[in-house]
Amino acid sequence: MLTIPHLVLILIAYLAGSIPFSLLVARARGVDLRVAGSGNVGAANVWRTCGFGAFLLALSGDVLKGALPTFAAQMLNVPPLAVVTVGAAAMLGHARSIFLGFRGGKAVATGGGALLAMAPLVALAGLAVWGATFSIVRISSVASLAAAAACAVVAAVFFAQGALPMTYALFVWGAVVAILLLHRSNIRRLRAGAENRF
């Protein structure tokens, strides 16, 4: 059963996820991400338009808004399903921000932050794959999709070994599906050979 504190935490997670850190960081540098670079309000577009330092700042905000509410839910000792709903709410906030007319980014960093709180080794495996893939292809969407796939596989291995609760494994797989859906336009551009490259 959902308790009032749990529902409040879900709302807080959604609102935290809705904070458009990338947009704010870029705006402080005189750039409107919605019309610059790829037009996406994610951290990768901050890197593209504002530089690496601004990217790290935006990325940190996006990761923390997924990690902190999820970690708070764990500290409250709520069941794993409740923890998962908090992480999912943060991802939803990023992808469908109330502050951006229910539009937003791809939820990769925010989902990664939530996963970092639930299953750090799975999240770190995804981060390693993102870094390796990006260094080779220099395309953020390809790196993100590769990282999502890696997380799905690692979560399956950990679940099979009894090292990851089923609820957390289902979160990973559900998040991967959500990230794939949010990258539909990127996938179309990749197939057409028109995706943005760094």
Side-chain angles (χ1 to χ4, degrees):
M1 295 294 292
L2 296 179
T3 64
I4 296 300
H6 177 210
L7 290 172
V8 170
L9 194 53
I10 290 175
L11 178 60
I12 291 172
Y14 171 76
L15 293 174
S18 290
I19 300 171
F21 282 109
S22 295
L23 188 68
L24 295 173
V25 168
R27 183 174 292 171
R29 287 159 174 76
V31 176
D32 186 348
L33 289 184
R34 293 168 293 188
V35 297
S38 67
N40 182 44
V41 292
N45 201 28
V46 175
W47 189 354
R48 184 179 290 110
T49 58
C50 302
F52 187 69
F55 160 76
L56 288 179
L57 184 59
L59 179 67
S60 298
D62 284 349
V63 170
L64 287 173
K65 69 186 187 183
L68 292 181
T70 307
F71 183 70
Q74 291 177 313
M75 292 298 97
L76 290 175
N77 201 31
V78 299
L81 180 59
V83 175
V84 163
T85 57
V86 170
M91 286 186 68
L92 178 63
H94 183 85
R96 297 291 181 264
S97 171
I98 193 172
F99 305 122
L100 298 176
F102 298 101
R103 297 182 180 181
K106 310 295 185 182
V108 175
T110 302
L115 184 58
L116 189 63
M118 295 182 211
L121 292 179
V122 178
L124 291 175
L127 177 62
V129 170
W130 191 97
T133 304
F134 182 80
S135 68
I136 295 169
V137 301
R138 307 297 291 180
I139 302 176
S140 177
S141 60
V142 173
S144 295
L145 293 169
C151 286
V153 172
V154 173
V157 171
F158 282 9
F159 172 68
Q161 294 176 341
L164 186 68
M166 177 181 288
T167 308
Y168 288 177
L170 289 173
F171 171 83
V172 176
W173 300 328
V176 168
V177 171
I179 287 169
L180 284 171
L181 292 174
L182 289 168
H183 278 82
R184 292 191 305 275
S185 60
N186 302 85
I187 293 170
R188 286 194 294 269
R189 288 195 297 270
L190 285 167
R191 295 178 64 181
E195 179 69 322
N196 294 300
R197 185 185 298 270
F198 278 75

